[in-house]
Each structure stands twice: as C-alpha cells, then as structure tokens.
Amino acid sequence: MKILVIGSGGREHALAWRLVQSKKVSRVYVAPGNAGTKREEGLYNVDLNSVDEWVRFAKEEPIDLTVVGPEAPLSQGVVDAFRNAGLAIFGPTQLASQLEASKDFAKAFMMRHSIPTAAYATFEEAALAHQYIDQQGAPIVIKADGLAAGKGVVVAMSLDEAHQAIDHMFSGALGGAGHRVVIEEFLEGEEASFIVLSDGENVCPLATSQDHKRLLDGDLGPNTGGMGAYSPAPVVTPMLHAKIMREVIMPTIRGMKAEGNTYTGFLYAGLMISPNGDIKTLEFNCRMGDPETQPIMMRLKSDLVEVLDLAVKGRLDQVHLEWDRRSAVGVVMAAYNYPNTPRTGDVIVDQGVSDLDSHVFHAGTAIDDKGQLVTRGGRVLCVTALGDTLRVAANKAYQRLADIQFDGQQYRRDIGWRALKN
Ligand code: AMP
Ligand code: GLY
C-alpha cells in the first residue's frame, strides 16, 4: 500500500516512521514533512501544502490511505474532500472536527451528553466577560473559542491576569479564534492524555500518556505545545481507564453519531484527574497529541497500516493493539525564544546515533543551502527512548539528548517527574 501522511511535525515523523515498518507498505509520503522525514529511510517528502494539492497527489499516485496529523487541515475539510474524491483517509470530517476547532461547540456537546467537564460560560462581548470574572473570582481559565495553536488558553491566577487575557483575546490578537471566549472553572489535579481511534462506532484506545505543557522544570513558565511526554501514564489506573471509556469516550462517540455528526479518526481527550479520582474533560483534540505520539509510537507493536486500514473500513472491532511493556519517554528540544517567536537557522549538531530503543523525531527542522541541518520552528526535536522502567527510559532519552546541540536550545530536565516521584 502507498500511504500519505499530512503534516510536518514530530507527531507526523513518528507516525510515518511507524507506518513505514508495516509489511503492507510499499511507500510512505509525508506532505510536506521536515528534515527528519526527508532523511528517514523509506519516507519521501512531497512539498504539498493545501487540500487541493493533497487530493490531486493522492489521485495521481494513487495513495491507498491518507493519515492526517494536525488539526488545521481537518478543520479545513480535508477528510470531506478526500471522501468526495473516493479516497480513503483517516480523520474526522470538518463538522466533526468542531470538537477541537470550537471550544464552545465542545462544551455545549459535553453538556448535552453529561460528559464531565468544568463549569463554563461563553461570551461574545468583552464587557460581559469582564463582569462574569468579577463575579466568579480567580483562579479562572480563559479560552479563545477557535484554533489558536496552543496560544488560546490562559490559566489566570489573579483577576488582573484574567481581565488582561479577555482584553487580549477580544483585541483580535488571535484573529477570528478570539471573537468568542469560553470562561471556565479552574480545576486542580493531574493531567493525562487519553487518545483513541474511532471508526464512528467502535473505539480502540491507544496507550495512555502524559504531556508537559509548561516550558520550565516543575511545570513553571508559560504554556507551550508540549515539552515532553511519556507513556504509559500510571495515573490512569485500570479502574480509571474503564471510567474514562464509560464516562467520556463512549458518550462522545455515541453522542456524535446520534447527532448525525459521526466521528471517525483519532480522538484525544485531555483530562484532569482530581486527587479523589474524579475526571473532567479539559479539551478534545481531533488528532493525536504532539509530543504524546512520539513515545506512544515507540511502544506500538501492532502493524499501524493494518490497524488504520481496518479503521477506515469501519472494522475496528477486529483490532486489538499490542504494546511494548516498557515505558517510553520523549524530551522536546525547543528553539531559542520558544514559545514566543522562535529563532530559526541555528545549526543542529548530532554527534551520536540512535539504536533500536531510541529515536530522534524531528519537528521544526530543515536542511539549509549549505546542506546543514538547521532549526526552522519552535519545537525542534523530540528525543525519545524506551526503557524497562520510566526512570531507565528517561535516562536513556537524556543520554541521547546530550549528543545533540544547537545555539539557544531549551529543554526540560524533569520529563516524567510526576510518575517518577511516586
Ligand atoms: P486546553 O488547550 O484546553 O487543554 O488547555 C491547555 C492547558 O491549560 C491544559 O493542558 C491545562 O494545563 C490548562 N487548563 C485548561 N483548562 C483548565 C482548567 N479548567 N483548569 C485548570 N487548568 C486548565
Ligand atoms: N500535546 C498536546 C497536544 O497535542 O495538544
């Protein structure tokens, strides 16, 4: 089979790397990909960047199965366009991807289906939003309704901060994403990423994972797209796993179907788990997580092409995923000044090599005119390793990371700390 992966991040590198190991694969293309997918054996970058270009390429090639990495093409309707052209693609339709593309849609949906989530209110006028937070007090959470590439959520610890966040969002700084704002009750606890595959009817959970959203050690500093992740996340006990499936995942898949908005694709529930084991849904993403995908793909033993092929055929009930029993840890190396405008063009030097139990997944990387590997985005690399325990996996990832250098590099030294502390 010929496979097309859409996207250019670390998530797409990890997906493509796993897909190309399938016995069923003849070729894996990545559109547009990055320097890592360009150099990876068996992967081919194609410089295509729009829905029309992807459809045309998939028809001409022809591509047997397309997998979408990021949310933007989903909310642009890439799945609808492929299906209309008779092409197989794994992902949600434009309408279904509103679960991620509109926080207000997701919150209202959760209310209709009694899916546990934080109390909230939605505003289209700044004055009313200001009034509401004065009533509610701080801490409080302000979210732009639309897609904002990880910049749309402010966890305000003071009323000042909350008022500023509202002004910022309504000022148009986030474009259309901030025309509507969701204000949400502040929740405390431990977060987990719970990702499943759905064919619209059947659901197949992936291994659990935990992301590290803040830039600095100890979960300090600004929010980012994610500075590292590990799998499995021990906070999700077998009992909690069953509860999440029962209270969050199944009601979502069934509810979407019942509303005539059948959900197919990866579904990512970002969860807050309180100390007494209550779960609340913080957000839905219509895709895999980045960097959660990197450790999850290191652990996946099943043939991913076979699995996704069954998924697009509505036969996920026949799938039982097999996982490496070991833990995986991925540490993100970010560019200078990330998460603000990152500097690009810094030369990346890697003096080591990966083995079977480690892999360096690329995200914001490129090859410059001189043939050098350089930074080209905020999150640059995700150094990922497997180990018998989380500690061993983390040590191995950090050892591999020590081989790699670029000016201005930033990374957290404590990926996995919550689980390691226990
Ligand atoms: P989201 O994109 O909605 O997941 O929000 C990004 C991050 O903000 C989450 O991963 C949490 O760390 C934090 N966050 C979101 N909603 C809440 C909430 N209601 N209470 C506390 N923290 C939150
Ligand atoms: N790592 C969080 C996300 O992919 O949204």
Side-chain angles (χ1 to χ4, degrees):
M1 288 174 75
K2 283 191 194 169
I3 313 282
L4 172 63
V5 176
I6 293 173
S8 63
R11 165 185 47 214
E12 289 78 31
H13 187 181
L15 283 169
W17 168 81
R18 184 46 88 205
L19 286 163
V20 79
Q21 291 165 28
S22 164
K23 285 197 260 338
K24 298 197 150 181
V25 149
S26 56
R27 224 163 220 249
V28 177
Y29 293 100
V30 189
N34 56 41
T37 54
K38 190 183 168 99
R39 288 178 168 187
E40 192 78 60
E41 205 175 317
L43 302 185
Y44 296 86
N45 282 359
V46 281
D47 189 22
L48 305 173
N49 296 281
S50 71
V51 173
D52 286 347
E53 288 177 331
W54 296 321
V55 169
R56 198 173 319 128
F57 177 76
K59 267 196 208 157
E60 279 166 9
E61 196 53 33
I63 296 290
D64 300 294
L65 175 65
T66 298
V67 185
V68 190
E71 62 277 16
L74 294 168
S75 71
Q76 288 159 13
V78 68
V79 169
D80 312 68
F82 269 66
R83 287 190 187 157
N84 288 339
L87 295 161
I89 186 165
F90 188 63
T93 62
Q94 185 171 37
L95 268 182
S97 66
Q98 285 178 97
L99 270 185
E100 173 171 4
S102 167
K103 301 262 187 210
D104 178 58
F105 175 92
K107 295 296 280 192
F109 173 84
M110 287 190 266
M111 290 295 149
R112 288 198 294 281
H113 296 278
S114 305
I115 295 165
T117 188
Y120 82 108
T122 300
F123 296 92
E124 291 181 2
E125 272 178 63
L128 295 176
H130 284 300
Q131 238 174 48
Y132 180 76
I133 55 167
D134 279 333
Q135 287 160 10
Q136 297 292 315
I140 194 157
V141 182
I142 324 285
K143 300 185 174 183
D145 177 54
L147 294 178
K151 297 199 164 70
V153 176
V154 176
V155 180
M157 297 316 286
S158 68
L159 275 179
D160 261 5
E161 232 183 306
H163 286 298
Q164 273 175 31
I166 287 167
D167 287 336
H168 178 70
M169 285 180 195
F170 280 107
S171 74
L174 301 175
H179 289 162
R180 215 187 292 160
V181 166
V182 168
I183 302 183
E184 198 175 271
E185 165 198 9
F186 171 76
L187 300 172
E188 274 174 293
E190 184 167 346
E191 288 182 51
S193 307
F194 198 94
I195 309 174
V196 304
L197 310 172
S198 176
D199 61 14
E201 180 91 40
N202 307 293
V203 169
C204 187
L206 297 178
T208 58
S209 57
Q210 192 177 64
D211 186 14
H212 298 64
K213 290 252 164 79
R214 303 291 186 127
L215 181 69
L216 304 173
D217 287 7
D219 288 340
L220 299 173
N223 256 320
T224 69
M227 292 299 290
Y230 64 94
S231 172
V235 65
V236 183
T237 59
M239 219 165 81
L240 210 52
H241 194 284
K243 183 170 159 151
I244 294 163
M245 288 297 286
R246 194 171 62 237
E247 294 183 7
V248 178
I249 301 296
M250 292 320 294
T252 303
I253 298 303
R254 292 202 185 111
M256 290 295 279
K257 186 166 184 213
E259 293 188 2
N261 196 4
T262 299
Y263 191 94
T264 52
F266 296 106
L267 177 67
Y268 167 138
L271 303 168
M272 185 70 90
I273 299 162
S274 77
N276 64 7
D278 279 344
I279 43 172
K280 293 264 168 79
T281 311
L282 292 177
E283 63 165 343
F284 286 120
N285 293 319
C286 291
R287 49 170 177 82
M288 291 224 28
D290 191 342
E292 291 94 324
T293 304
Q294 291 84 317
I296 290 175
M297 285 301 127
M298 286 293 284
R299 294 189 58 225
L300 181 67
K301 289 175 99 172
S302 306
D303 185 318
L304 186 57
V305 172
E306 212 169 277
V307 170
L308 296 182
D309 187 40
L310 285 169
V312 295
K313 290 174 176 150
R315 289 174 13 213
L316 268 184
D317 54 323
Q318 296 174 14
V319 171
H320 182 79
L321 296 177
E322 274 182 70
W323 299 98
D324 195 312
R325 298 178 71 84
R326 292 174 292 172
S327 288
V329 172
V331 182
V332 169
M333 298 182 81
Y336 177 78
N337 207 37
Y338 178 75
N340 299 317
T341 312
R343 186 171 69 200
T344 59
D346 285 310
V347 175
I348 304 165
V349 180
D350 182 355
Q351 289 173 308
V353 281
S354 298
D355 59 20
L356 275 179
D357 294 340
S358 64
H359 207 82
V360 180
F361 295 109
H362 286 222
T365 62
I367 312 275
D368 72 4
D369 312 342
K370 296 182 204 139
Q372 310 176 103
L373 181 65
V374 295
T375 61
R376 193 199 50 187
R379 291 187 291 172
V380 177
L381 303 168
C382 182
V383 185
T384 312
L386 284 164
D388 282 330
T389 64
L390 187 61
R391 172 79 65 195
V392 173
N395 287 346
K396 189 162 168 81
Y398 281 107
Q399 262 166 28
R400 181 70 185 90
L401 184 146
D403 300 332
I404 305 172
Q405 251 125 37
F406 53 90
D407 279 348
Q409 65 186 34
Q410 309 183 65
Y411 63 90
R412 281 181 59 161
R413 271 93 178 149
D414 66 345
I415 300 304
W417 72 273
R418 279 180 192 275
L420 289 172
K421 141 188 117 195
N422 297 321

